[in-house]
Amino acid sequence: MGIVLKDTLMVTTPELRSQFETAFSKIVRSLGPDVQKKWGGAMTWKDDRSYPEIQSELIKEFSPQARSAYVSLLNKLSRGRI
């Protein structure tokens, strides 16, 4: 399962980014300590701050439910409402 956002331009505000980071943190905290340790709690955003850069290696370790929640979160981000 690959998620491609390269051609998608999302306009995000600092508040929206904060909401995304909080929601993503909840997803990661629901997983095992190994996944939590790999993430480390830091979120990096593209230079234009339109979407987060999250390592695909981390997402590969998500459970199907966590992946579904992540995709849903990305969809909400793209719509500008979390």
Side-chain angles (χ1 to χ4, degrees):
M1 175 181 175
I3 299 171
V4 178
L5 296 174
K6 291 181 181 178
D7 296 327
T8 303
L9 179 61
M10 292 184 264
V11 178
T12 58
T13 63
E15 179 183 352
L16 192 58
R17 287 192 297 273
S18 176
Q19 291 172 348
F20 181 91
E21 291 174 11
T22 299
F24 185 79
S25 294
K26 288 179 184 177
I27 293 170
V28 174
R29 284 195 308 265
S30 74
L31 301 169
D34 292 341
V35 177
Q36 293 176 28
K37 189 174 183 175
K38 285 183 182 179
W39 180 50
M43 180 77 61
T44 304
W45 291 80
K46 291 295 288 178
D47 291 339
D48 61 3
R49 301 192 181 278
S50 61
Y51 63 90
E53 292 183 315
I54 300 170
Q55 295 179 358
S56 62
E57 300 305 316
L58 178 66
I59 304 304
K60 288 178 184 176
E61 301 217 16
F62 278 20
S63 67
Q65 296 86 359
R67 266 194 211 137
S68 177
Y70 173 61
V71 169
S72 177
L73 183 60
L74 286 173
N75 287 332
K76 289 176 182 179
L77 178 66
S78 70
R79 289 191 299 269
R81 285 186 258 161
I82 295 180

